[in-house]
Amino acid sequence: MSAKDIIRAYYDAFNRQDMAAFLDLLTDDVAHDINQGERQTGKDAFRRFMDKMNRCYRERLTDIVVMESADGTRGAAEFTVNGEYLATDEGLPEADGQKYVLPAGAFFEIRDGKVARISNYYNLNDWIAQVGA
């Protein structure tokens, strides 16, 4: 599969909430750069992050555009996050089912047909304004 195919499969699995397929697209040592946060390493850390995300948020990504480098080792995606804030995430405003729409993007490193790094970016201040801090 090309980098574009891997990234599309990653987002398709996310939108289906198929966490087994989603996690299967990651290397065991995946590096995950959390928006305005730390880098976490490893599939187990990513799984724990997604468990929290799925508890606190319901999100569907639309308008996905995927790009890849000529050598197929890097990729990027731009998309719109359509979400609902379900449960309060520590350090953030109280959740009450608020809906939000955010432009976002991500950068990928691809190795051996899997995602070896993902760096996510969105405007946290815009999200906080939308959920009514």
Side-chain angles (χ1 to χ4, degrees):
M1 287 199 304
S2 71
K4 278 185 174 180
D5 292 336
I6 293 164
I7 294 166
R8 283 189 187 110
Y10 175 90
Y11 287 123
D12 287 346
F14 177 88
N15 277 339
R16 288 192 319 271
Q17 288 297 294
D18 184 346
M19 286 298 110
F22 185 68
L23 294 167
D24 191 48
L25 289 163
L26 307 176
T27 62
D28 288 338
D29 64 344
V30 64
H32 177 214
D33 297 318
I34 300 169
N35 186 69
Q36 298 183 23
E38 65 183 351
R39 171 172 277 192
Q40 295 182 345
T41 303
K43 196 183 284 192
D44 287 337
F46 198 94
R47 180 181 293 108
R48 287 189 301 274
F49 174 83
M50 288 308 301
D51 287 345
K52 178 189 78 155
M53 291 297 292
N54 289 332
R55 184 182 76 256
C56 295
Y57 309 92
R58 179 179 304 124
E59 296 182 332
R60 179 155 182 78
L61 309 181
T62 58
D63 307 317
I64 302 169
V65 177
V66 178
M67 298 148 272
E68 71 176 294
S69 63
D71 67 2
T73 63
R74 299 273 193 278
E78 183 178 13
F79 48 90
T80 302
V81 180
N82 303 272
E84 184 177 358
Y85 191 26
L86 303 173
T88 302
D89 196 348
E90 184 179 345
L92 295 173
E94 292 293 316
D96 189 26
Q98 304 96 313
K99 302 217 188 249
Y100 53 92
V101 177
L102 289 171
F107 296 97
F108 294 83
E109 180 182 336
I110 306 299
R111 185 177 71 237
D112 300 326
K114 295 192 178 230
V115 174
R117 177 186 54 86
I118 179 165
S119 302
N120 289 297
Y121 296 94
Y122 60 89
N123 186 325
L124 181 60
N125 289 333
D126 182 12
W127 179 84
I128 289 171
Q130 287 188 52
V131 299

mmCIF file of all heavy atoms in Angstrom, residues 2 21 28 36-37 48 51 53 60-61 88 90-91 120 125 127 129:
data_model
loop_
_atom_site.group_PDB
_atom_site.id
_atom_site.type_symbol
_atom_site.label_atom_id
_atom_site.label_comp_id
_atom_site.label_asym_id
_atom_site.label_seq_id
_atom_site.Cartn_x
_atom_site.Cartn_y
_atom_site.Cartn_z
ATOM 1 N N SER A 2 0.417 2.274 -0.665
ATOM 2 C CA SER A 2 1.126 3.545 -0.669
ATOM 3 C C SER A 2 0.874 4.282 0.643
ATOM 4 O O SER A 2 -0.032 3.923 1.410
ATOM 5 C CB SER A 2 0.644 4.404 -1.837
ATOM 6 O OG SER A 2 -0.678 4.877 -1.596
ATOM 7 N N ALA A 21 -8.675 -2.374 13.787
ATOM 8 C CA ALA A 21 -8.090 -2.053 12.477
ATOM 9 C C ALA A 21 -7.240 -0.795 12.567
ATOM 10 O O ALA A 21 -6.166 -0.710 11.959
ATOM 11 C CB ALA A 21 -9.197 -1.886 11.435
ATOM 12 N N ASP A 28 4.716 -0.967 16.316
ATOM 13 C CA ASP A 28 4.731 -1.182 17.766
ATOM 14 C C ASP A 28 5.372 -0.007 18.502
ATOM 15 O O ASP A 28 5.012 0.277 19.642
ATOM 16 C CB ASP A 28 5.462 -2.473 18.123
ATOM 17 C CG ASP A 28 4.666 -3.708 17.740
ATOM 18 O OD1 ASP A 28 3.416 -3.612 17.594
ATOM 19 O OD2 ASP A 28 5.289 -4.770 17.570
ATOM 20 N N GLN A 36 -0.400 20.205 20.974
ATOM 21 C CA GLN A 36 -0.005 21.071 22.079
ATOM 22 C C GLN A 36 0.314 20.276 23.342
ATOM 23 O O GLN A 36 0.026 20.698 24.461
ATOM 24 C CB GLN A 36 -1.080 22.130 22.343
ATOM 25 C CG GLN A 36 -1.279 23.048 21.162
ATOM 26 C CD GLN A 36 -2.289 24.145 21.423
ATOM 27 O OE1 GLN A 36 -2.553 24.512 22.566
ATOM 28 N NE2 GLN A 36 -2.851 24.681 20.356
ATOM 29 N N GLY A 37 0.885 19.103 23.151
ATOM 30 C CA GLY A 37 1.197 18.241 24.291
ATOM 31 C C GLY A 37 2.491 17.506 24.081
ATOM 32 O O GLY A 37 3.360 17.914 23.318
ATOM 33 N N ARG A 48 -4.137 3.601 24.992
ATOM 34 C CA ARG A 48 -4.661 4.284 26.191
ATOM 35 C C ARG A 48 -5.166 5.680 25.839
ATOM 36 O O ARG A 48 -6.210 6.113 26.340
ATOM 37 C CB ARG A 48 -3.594 4.357 27.282
ATOM 38 C CG ARG A 48 -3.326 3.028 27.967
ATOM 39 C CD ARG A 48 -2.421 3.158 29.180
ATOM 40 N NE ARG A 48 -1.111 3.725 28.871
ATOM 41 C CZ ARG A 48 -0.064 3.021 28.445
ATOM 42 N NH1 ARG A 48 -0.166 1.710 28.275
ATOM 43 N NH2 ARG A 48 1.086 3.621 28.210
ATOM 44 N N ASP A 51 -8.484 5.258 24.154
ATOM 45 C CA ASP A 51 -9.527 4.892 25.123
ATOM 46 C C ASP A 51 -10.085 6.149 25.785
ATOM 47 O O ASP A 51 -11.296 6.305 25.926
ATOM 48 C CB ASP A 51 -8.977 3.937 26.183
ATOM 49 C CG ASP A 51 -8.736 2.526 25.660
ATOM 50 O OD1 ASP A 51 -9.236 2.183 24.568
ATOM 51 O OD2 ASP A 51 -8.022 1.767 26.362
ATOM 52 N N MET A 53 -9.861 9.271 24.602
ATOM 53 C CA MET A 53 -10.524 10.083 23.572
ATOM 54 C C MET A 53 -11.926 9.554 23.282
ATOM 55 O O MET A 53 -12.882 10.330 23.198
ATOM 56 C CB MET A 53 -9.693 10.106 22.288
ATOM 57 C CG MET A 53 -8.393 10.866 22.415
ATOM 58 S SD MET A 53 -8.618 12.622 22.760
ATOM 59 C CE MET A 53 -9.329 13.174 21.213
ATOM 60 N N ARG A 60 -16.108 12.544 14.083
ATOM 61 C CA ARG A 60 -16.111 12.034 12.713
ATOM 62 C C ARG A 60 -15.338 13.033 11.875
ATOM 63 O O ARG A 60 -15.546 14.238 11.986
ATOM 64 C CB ARG A 60 -17.533 11.875 12.197
ATOM 65 C CG ARG A 60 -17.574 11.381 10.766
ATOM 66 C CD ARG A 60 -18.884 10.663 10.469
ATOM 67 N NE ARG A 60 -18.902 10.163 9.114
ATOM 68 C CZ ARG A 60 -18.287 9.083 8.675
ATOM 69 N NH1 ARG A 60 -17.578 8.354 9.501
ATOM 70 N NH2 ARG A 60 -18.366 8.707 7.417
ATOM 71 N N LEU A 61 -14.439 12.518 11.045
ATOM 72 C CA LEU A 61 -13.607 13.369 10.206
ATOM 73 C C LEU A 61 -14.182 13.420 8.798
ATOM 74 O O LEU A 61 -14.548 12.385 8.233
ATOM 75 C CB LEU A 61 -12.177 12.837 10.181
ATOM 76 C CG LEU A 61 -11.557 12.572 11.555
ATOM 77 C CD1 LEU A 61 -10.136 12.066 11.407
ATOM 78 C CD2 LEU A 61 -11.616 13.810 12.441
ATOM 79 N N THR A 88 -16.017 15.148 30.575
ATOM 80 C CA THR A 88 -14.973 16.127 30.848
ATOM 81 C C THR A 88 -13.584 15.497 30.794
ATOM 82 O O THR A 88 -13.324 14.484 31.438
ATOM 83 C CB THR A 88 -15.205 16.788 32.220
ATOM 84 O OG1 THR A 88 -16.510 17.395 32.212
ATOM 85 C CG2 THR A 88 -14.158 17.841 32.509
ATOM 86 N N GLU A 90 -9.688 15.908 31.625
ATOM 87 C CA GLU A 90 -8.935 16.577 32.687
ATOM 88 C C GLU A 90 -8.237 17.846 32.191
ATOM 89 O O GLU A 90 -7.569 17.840 31.156
ATOM 90 C CB GLU A 90 -7.894 15.616 33.254
ATOM 91 C CG GLU A 90 -7.124 16.180 34.420
ATOM 92 C CD GLU A 90 -6.112 15.198 34.979
ATOM 93 O OE1 GLU A 90 -6.199 13.998 34.663
ATOM 94 O OE2 GLU A 90 -5.231 15.641 35.721
ATOM 95 N N GLY A 91 -8.440 18.945 32.928
ATOM 96 C CA GLY A 91 -7.802 20.209 32.611
ATOM 97 C C GLY A 91 -8.522 21.030 31.554
ATOM 98 O O GLY A 91 -8.064 22.113 31.186
ATOM 99 N N ASN A 120 -0.448 15.438 15.319
ATOM 100 C CA ASN A 120 -1.748 16.077 15.094
ATOM 101 C C ASN A 120 -1.729 17.552 15.467
ATOM 102 O O ASN A 120 -1.090 17.923 16.462
ATOM 103 C CB ASN A 120 -2.825 15.379 15.938
ATOM 104 C CG ASN A 120 -3.144 14.009 15.410
ATOM 105 O OD1 ASN A 120 -3.627 13.864 14.309
ATOM 106 N ND2 ASN A 120 -2.870 12.994 16.207
ATOM 107 N N ASN A 125 -7.525 26.755 21.202
ATOM 108 C CA ASN A 125 -8.310 27.913 21.651
ATOM 109 C C ASN A 125 -9.648 27.990 20.930
ATOM 110 O O ASN A 125 -10.672 28.349 21.535
ATOM 111 C CB ASN A 125 -7.530 29.205 21.463
ATOM 112 C CG ASN A 125 -6.380 29.313 22.450
ATOM 113 O OD1 ASN A 125 -6.423 28.752 23.533
ATOM 114 N ND2 ASN A 125 -5.334 30.029 22.063
ATOM 115 N N TRP A 127 -11.315 25.373 19.802
ATOM 116 C CA TRP A 127 -12.128 24.308 20.389
ATOM 117 C C TRP A 127 -12.701 24.764 21.738
ATOM 118 O O TRP A 127 -13.898 24.585 22.009
ATOM 119 C CB TRP A 127 -11.285 23.030 20.576
ATOM 120 C CG TRP A 127 -12.076 21.917 21.193
ATOM 121 C CD1 TRP A 127 -12.893 21.033 20.555
ATOM 122 C CD2 TRP A 127 -12.139 21.593 22.579
ATOM 123 N NE1 TRP A 127 -13.469 20.175 21.467
ATOM 124 C CE2 TRP A 127 -13.017 20.502 22.715
ATOM 125 C CE3 TRP A 127 -11.559 22.122 23.726
ATOM 126 C CZ2 TRP A 127 -13.304 19.925 23.946
ATOM 127 C CZ3 TRP A 127 -11.847 21.541 24.949
ATOM 128 C CH2 TRP A 127 -12.720 20.458 25.044
ATOM 129 N N ALA A 129 -13.289 27.783 22.775
ATOM 130 C CA ALA A 129 -14.341 28.784 22.531
ATOM 131 C C ALA A 129 -15.642 28.108 22.097
ATOM 132 O O ALA A 129 -16.722 28.523 22.513
ATOM 133 C CB ALA A 129 -13.871 29.773 21.471
#
